[in-house]
Amino acid sequence: MAGLKGELQQLDVVTFGESMALMYAEGDGRGLGSGRELAQSFGGAESNLAIGLARLGCRCGWFSMLGDDPMGRGILKGIRGEGVDVSRAVKTKEAPTGLMLRESARGKLSVYYYRSGSAASRMTPELLDAEYIANAGILHITGITAALGSSCLDTVREAIRIAKQAGVRISFDPNLRLKLWTVEQARPIIQELAQSADYFLPGYDELGLIYDTDDEETLLANVRRLPGMTVIKSAGNENWLVQGGELHRRPFEHINWLVDPVGAGDGFAAGFLAGITKGLSPVEALKLGSIVGSLVVQEPGDWEALPLWSEVEAILNRTGHIER
């Protein structure tokens, strides 16, 4: 296995998890299996978030295991090219880079994973650089990594232990993927990881599955018992912040058009964590997350539509666009 270790640097956020090669049929039509040409990119919740943070002016690191193959090398080059530190990423010849296919057909979005036995699914606690994690302000983890297998879950737990020991705050997005595990498998593990989080970032629908209820008061009672704050995405047409027993609501931002909902949650999380690292209050960070999420859905792509800080700042300052 080949690592890319370099000089240790202070980072605002460190995250890790699987990034996969992405193949998709452009446009809305007959979708996959129809003989149409496929475009290629890459995607992964954690690398999406890392790119989003880098574009918002934060110092961010991402690592994983990738196949030492053309797709893995392309992913690494792409993430590094966005200004994300990838010095702790590892390439291996023993397993391939994961693959996902995506189609939009008859108005429905579908994703197909080919990640069983992938390089990232073989992550173990030995992959972790404790000093690298301890040097970050926030460690961001997701339920996707925990779902990839027992060794990956062990890696998540060890990363949390390292971060807690070093006083690094924990951000946790459950990113519940029912193609990776069942609700029954996911529920106790996600509840366990939520207990470790300073910032718990679920979607409203996810919360219903995590706590096995669709009653709003019961859901809020559950998150109010957590030690950290909870940021709830897409509660109706709002995003919510639950902090110290108080509920703060933020209506969705106005958008001119909806193009592609993929990546909105990762964009929101990047915006919220960027606000925290920039010293904003949690309520102000909630607003920033909402703005970033609203911009992401107006352009296609998993991470390509993530905005620059200058774009977000223009909205915050209500600076109009000058066409010519």
Side-chain angles (χ1 to χ4, degrees):
M1 292 188 291
L4 301 171
K5 287 190 177 182
E7 183 179 349
L8 191 67
Q9 59 177 300
Q10 182 69 44
L11 296 169
D12 297 314
V13 180
V14 163
T15 186
F16 68 98
E18 183 166 36
S19 287
M20 295 171 287
L22 168 63
M23 302 290 183
Y24 61 96
E26 295 183 287
D28 194 352
R30 295 175 61 193
L32 299 169
S34 63
R36 295 175 59 194
E37 292 184 359
L38 297 179
Q40 64 175 307
S41 182
F42 64 88
E46 300 84 6
S47 57
N48 292 350
L49 175 117
I51 291 170
L53 283 164
R55 289 188 178 183
L56 294 172
C58 301
R59 296 163 300 175
C60 191
W62 167 89
F63 63 89
S64 183
M65 287 182 67
L66 294 160
D68 190 1
D69 49 39
M71 292 302 186
R73 292 190 289 272
I75 290 170
L76 205 57
K77 181 179 179 181
I79 298 172
R80 181 170 50 213
E82 288 290 334
V84 176
D85 179 70
V86 296
S87 61
R88 269 56 182 178
V90 170
K91 294 182 292 183
T92 177
K93 294 184 181 295
E94 298 175 3
T97 302
L99 170 68
M100 60 178 165
L101 303 179
R102 191 176 72 210
E103 68 175 352
S104 179
R106 302 187 188 280
K108 293 183 179 180
L109 180 70
S110 298
V111 177
Y112 305 91
Y113 296 122
Y114 300 86
R115 64 202 308 179
S116 177
S118 69
S121 72
R122 300 186 179 198
M123 285 189 290
T124 66
E126 288 69 35
L127 174 72
L128 302 174
D129 183 330
E131 189 178 4
Y132 188 73
I133 294 172
N135 217 38
I138 297 172
L139 170 70
H140 178 77
I141 57 174
T142 78
I144 296 174
T145 309
L148 294 179
S150 60
S151 69
C152 290
L153 177 57
D154 289 343
T155 305
V156 170
R157 287 171 171 155
E158 177 62 10
I160 291 172
R161 188 197 66 78
I162 293 168
K164 290 284 187 184
Q165 189 174 53
V168 175
R169 290 165 289 169
I170 307 291
S171 167
F172 172 50
D173 189 332
N175 280 118
L176 186 58
R177 298 290 188 268
L178 296 181
K179 289 188 176 182
L180 297 180
W181 54 0
T182 67
V183 173
E184 291 74 22
Q185 291 171 318
R187 188 174 289 138
I189 293 171
I190 290 178
Q191 290 182 17
E192 170 202 334
L193 298 178
Q195 286 286 337
S196 302
D198 296 278
Y199 311 107
F200 179 40
L201 309 172
Y204 185 85
D205 291 341
E206 285 178 317
L207 270 185
L209 295 172
I210 293 165
Y211 291 110
D212 197 20
T213 180
D214 58 4
D215 180 72
E216 181 178 305
E217 288 306 314
T218 303
L219 291 176
L220 289 173
N222 276 292
V223 299
R224 284 184 172 120
R225 285 193 287 267
L226 295 173
M229 69 181 69
T230 299
V231 181
I232 303 172
K233 298 167 283 187
S234 301
N237 292 319
E238 299 176 320
N239 296 311
W240 295 353
L241 170 69
V242 182
Q243 181 185 24
E246 294 187 17
L247 173 63
H248 304 272
R249 301 171 183 262
R250 177 76 192 180
F252 282 179
E253 304 298 316
H254 171 75
I255 62 173
N256 295 317
W257 49 74
L258 174 63
V259 175
D260 186 354
V262 175
D266 298 331
F268 175 91
F272 176 79
L273 292 180
I276 295 296
T277 64
K278 290 176 183 290
L280 302 183
S281 71
V283 173
E284 292 170 325
L286 179 71
K287 176 182 178 180
L288 186 58
S290 298
I291 290 172
V292 174
S294 73
L295 292 172
V296 169
V297 301
Q298 297 184 65
E299 297 290 342
D302 276 33
W303 54 268
E304 290 86 348
L306 288 161
L308 299 172
W309 176 244
S310 58
E311 298 175 76
V312 176
E313 199 171 31
I315 294 173
L316 291 171
N317 296 332
R318 298 186 179 182
T319 305
H321 171 64
I322 300 174
E323 183 174 332
R324 63 176 96 185

